[in-house]
Amino acid sequence: MPDFGLFYKEWKQNKALLAIIILVSMLSNPFTVLNTYISYQGCVTHQDEWVGTCVFSINYLNGTFISVFWIWGVVLAISQLGIERSKGFFDFILSLPYTRGQIFNAKFLTGGMVIVGPQLIGYVLSVFLILLLNPEKVIHFHHLSIGMIFISLMAYSLVMAAGALTGNIFSQLLVSFTVAILPFLLIALPAGNLEIVFGQNAAVLNTEIPDWFRYIIPIMFVVPEWVMDSEHYLFFPIAWSVIFYIIGYISFVKLSNDRNGYFFLWKALDRPVQVIVIIIGILGFGYFGYAASESFAGYLLGMAAGAVIGFFISYFAIYKKTKHL
């Protein structure tokens, strides 16, 4: 368990951001209920001017701010790792009389409590408001409110893990986004290229994909339409949160800080990741080249362009060191 002094340090360094996240996360859910009730009362007061009847119903899928709470997890993780590393604070932090594991856990627990606690309080307050105001219909309330807690924690864990692996803010964000769509890159992109090369005869294309499979992709939870599907799919953000925490913890404890500013803190990752980026560039641009031209020549031209673009992007991103802010 981290020392109290580490929690205090996290609060002092990020208190403005933490306070904003706490207030917004706590009040947004009850505000949704109150705002809908006020609109309903306005309808009742000016019923002669409105067309139709006034119905007090709450649909959390339409215009609900809590559906983007995952953004706070991203911003907080960048502040705790990416910004601190870019400003050169980590040499001081790692010199404190604490283990690396304690430092990471203090950061993660602080962020986790700030993300989960206020949202849970806001959910409970909203339950009381709904019971008090008694709307005729409440749609997707429990599913979306509870689900966003897990999804926000998943987003936070992902960006924290990326920050523990990388040496600057740009690489932290790029790795986070890549991992968020990685199942698509590893499965759908090769499958699309197989379809171009072999046509519909490719065996993998004839395999029926179950509905739950798309929720393996973390970025699918960014769009709130997931709330219309089974609540059992929330298992995936929970599982991803645990996996990302483990990756982040091990990376923070094991990797040295002397490559601060480079894309990866672990030099052994540079070349394999560059090769993967080039392959993805080849497959991605090849697919879009074929889609644009509907010809195999366009496919080959796209692959060539993807190889060149993938090489230069990976080379300048991975091997160019950034300076402290």
Side-chain angles (χ1 to χ4, degrees), residues 9 20 24 28 30 32 50 54 71 99 128 143 146 152 185 200 203 218 237 252 258 274 291 320:
K9 180 195 73 67
I20 292 172
V24 173
S28 291
T32 298
W50 289 73
C54 300
I71 294 176
T99 66
F128 284 122
H143 192 181
I146 298 299
S152 301
L185 296 176
Q200 295 294 335
F252 194 89
D258 57 8
Q274 183 183 26
K320 183 177 175 58

Side-chain angles (χ1 to χ4, degrees), residues 248-266:
Y249 179 84
I250 294 174
S251 300
F252 194 89
V253 170
K254 298 296 184 181
L255 299 183
S256 174
N257 198 51
D258 57 8
R259 277 176 59 81
N260 186 12
Y262 282 102
F263 196 92
F264 288 113
L265 297 181
W266 189 19

Side-chain angles (χ1 to χ4, degrees), residues 162-214:
L165 277 167
T166 55
N168 57 69
I169 299 174
F170 171 75
S171 56
Q172 183 181 11
L173 286 172
L174 185 57
V175 169
S176 300
F177 176 74
T178 303
V179 172
I181 63 173
L182 190 59
F184 169 80
L185 296 176
L186 296 178
I187 299 171
L189 193 58
N193 280 263
L194 286 175
E195 182 180 356
I196 294 172
V197 176
F198 298 104
Q200 295 294 335
N201 295 323
V204 69
L205 300 176
N206 298 321
T207 303
E208 184 176 352
I209 300 176
D211 292 338
W212 57 264
F213 187 80
R214 59 178 174 164

